[in-house]
Amino acid sequence: MKLIFLRHGETEATEKRLYCGQSDIELSEAGKRALLPENRKFEYPAIEGFRVITSGMKRTEQTLRLIYGDLPHEQCPEFKEIDFGAFELRNYDELKKDPAYLEWIKDAYNNICPGGESRAQVVKRVTEKLDEVILGGRDTLIVAHGGVIPDSMEYLFHEGRNLYEWMPDPGTGYIVYLDVNKDGYKALSYEKIG
């Protein structure tokens, strides 16, 4: 089985280095241009016959459409980015003196953003849905987010990389090869896209 992860294209939030999770923002103009066929620096994998999934957020919907056209697909909110709560659409410089932020970053994996989620909660919802998708046994494309993809890759490969080492650039991702059978599945290998 092939599983393709693609991160959505550039947004104004990624360009400004803002925490952007549940805010349903669109791709920036630069982000849209970069995904157009005439501007691409590499070819995207063919997905004929694939199950196609997005998180349902505007930026993933636009990315799918710009790369592959208007395809029938599913929207799975389990693949949405972390909810940064009170830190949403703010950057480090704005937050670096905020006591709640300083407490959160001490252990951003387990600590819950005020009004939002912890990364541990995101990993749980993402990996439960990922298991379900993989055990379906069908080649699948998932267009998701900069936190969701690294969490998924670490779950599948346990290489000890941190979130940022796994994080693909906007508009890029991974092809994962899996062995799926009646007893479960095993992630075999992966290659980068872009």
Side-chain angles (χ1 to χ4, degrees):
M1 174 187 170
K2 275 190 202 174
L3 178 63
I4 299 173
F5 291 109
L6 281 181
R7 183 179 177 190
H8 63 77
E10 285 272 359
T11 65
E12 202 172 308
T14 52
E15 292 163 3
K16 293 180 178 178
R17 301 183 62 82
L18 304 177
Y19 287 105
C20 181
Q22 299 287 318
S23 295
D24 200 11
I25 63 173
E26 298 191 359
L27 297 177
S28 65
E29 289 307 311
K32 290 175 187 174
R33 279 193 305 276
L35 296 176
L36 294 173
E38 61 269 22
N39 299 325
R40 294 179 193 160
K41 295 180 169 91
F42 57 88
E43 286 195 35
Y44 286 97
I47 59 164
E48 188 174 332
F50 275 57
R51 178 181 184 186
V52 179
I53 299 172
T54 72
S55 70
M57 301 192 85
K58 289 176 189 171
R59 54 198 187 265
T60 62
E61 292 288 310
Q62 290 174 323
T63 298
L64 174 64
R65 201 166 26 260
L66 287 165
I67 295 171
Y68 290 108
D70 197 13
L71 298 176
H73 63 280
E74 301 165 51
Q75 296 179 343
C76 292
E78 295 88 348
F79 293 126
K80 285 185 176 182
E81 186 62 279
I82 186 173
D83 184 344
F84 288 110
F87 309 140
E88 189 77 15
L89 295 181
R90 298 171 71 195
N91 65 30
Y92 174 77
D93 287 332
E94 293 174 75
L95 293 166
K96 65 185 176 188
K97 294 182 181 175
D98 181 328
Y101 177 76
L102 296 173
E103 186 60 32
W104 173 65
I105 61 172
K106 284 181 187 175
D107 183 2
Y109 187 84
N110 292 300
N111 291 341
I112 297 172
C113 299
E117 296 176 287
S118 70
R119 187 162 161 234
Q121 289 172 317
V122 175
V123 168
K124 183 178 186 309
R125 78 168 147 81
V126 167
T127 57
E128 285 175 358
K129 186 64 177 182
L130 185 61
D131 282 343
E132 181 186 311
V133 168
I134 292 170
L135 291 171
R138 222 173 128 196
D139 290 341
T140 303
L141 165 67
I142 299 173
V143 185
H145 303 270
V148 169
I149 295 170
D151 287 338
S152 299
M153 292 298 290
E154 180 57 28
Y155 176 71
L156 293 171
F157 291 100
H158 311 288
E159 291 184 2
R161 295 184 187 189
N162 70 39
L163 177 80
Y164 300 102
E165 291 171 315
W166 277 117
M167 190 175 297
D169 291 333
T172 69
Y174 296 96
I175 302 173
V176 176
Y177 300 92
L178 303 114
D179 177 28
V180 182
N181 57 56
K182 63 180 176 50
D183 299 319
Y185 71 86
K186 180 180 180 182
L188 303 171
S189 63
Y190 63 89
E191 60 187 83
K192 288 186 175 183
I193 299 169

